[in-house]
Amino acid sequence: QVHLAESGGDLVQAGGSLRLSCAASGHITNINAMGWYRQAPGKQRDLVATFTSHGTPNYADSVKGRFTISWDNAKSTVYLQMNSLKFEDTAVYFCHADQPLGAGRGAYRYWGQGTQVTVSS
């Protein structure tokens, strides 16, 4: 089991910045991908930024140039630096961590509880 603890969500004015953190604990030795999704009210959960199993960062087009994902492997923590925030960035942000199932069976995805980001216009 992997437990993910997110923090850093807050109310911020448009144009401001926030830094989200997600710390993984438990059986974390073979996590090969971590990242962030978000879900606005009445909408589906969408990719924000993630590190793939190859270690390559992948961003949604809507956040490119504004958000930066980083991963501190020693702390088993992934961060999301969000700059130039817009009203449409308002959502619950969820952290994920993937563990390979082995033998070509793909990976199991763990989710955190989410942290609320609200951007006032």
Side-chain angles (χ1 to χ4, degrees):
Q1 283 285 342
V2 173
H3 177 68
L4 300 173
E6 300 123 325
S7 61
D10 206 344
L11 171 64
V12 63
Q13 288 188 334
S17 297
L18 283 175
R19 188 193 195 205
L20 305 183
S21 300
C22 173
S25 60
H27 294 115
I28 60 174
T29 54
N30 62 337
I31 289 175
N32 69 350
M34 289 187 75
W36 296 90
Y37 281 65
R38 67 187 180 187
Q39 188 167 17
K43 296 188 177 181
Q44 66 181 19
R45 190 174 296 188
D46 291 325
L47 169 73
V48 177
T50 190
F51 277 105
T52 69
S53 59
H54 301 290
T56 304
N58 184 34
Y59 294 93
D61 287 341
S62 60
V63 307
K64 285 180 181 177
R66 300 188 298 122
F67 291 10
T68 302
I69 188 171
S70 59
W71 188 351
D72 186 334
N73 200 38
K75 296 181 180 180
S76 301
T77 300
V78 65
Y79 303 95
L80 184 68
Q81 178 65 42
M82 305 187 294
N83 298 328
S84 302
L85 282 161
K86 303 176 181 179
F87 176 75
E88 50 264 40
D89 294 319
T90 296
V92 178
Y93 284 68
F94 295 91
C95 171
H96 78 87
D98 298 348
Q99 279 189 328
L101 294 172
R105 294 180 293 160
Y108 184 84
R109 175 160 288 183
Y110 293 91
W111 291 99
Q113 293 297 307
T115 186
Q116 177 70 47
V117 172
T118 303
V119 184
S120 62
S121 57

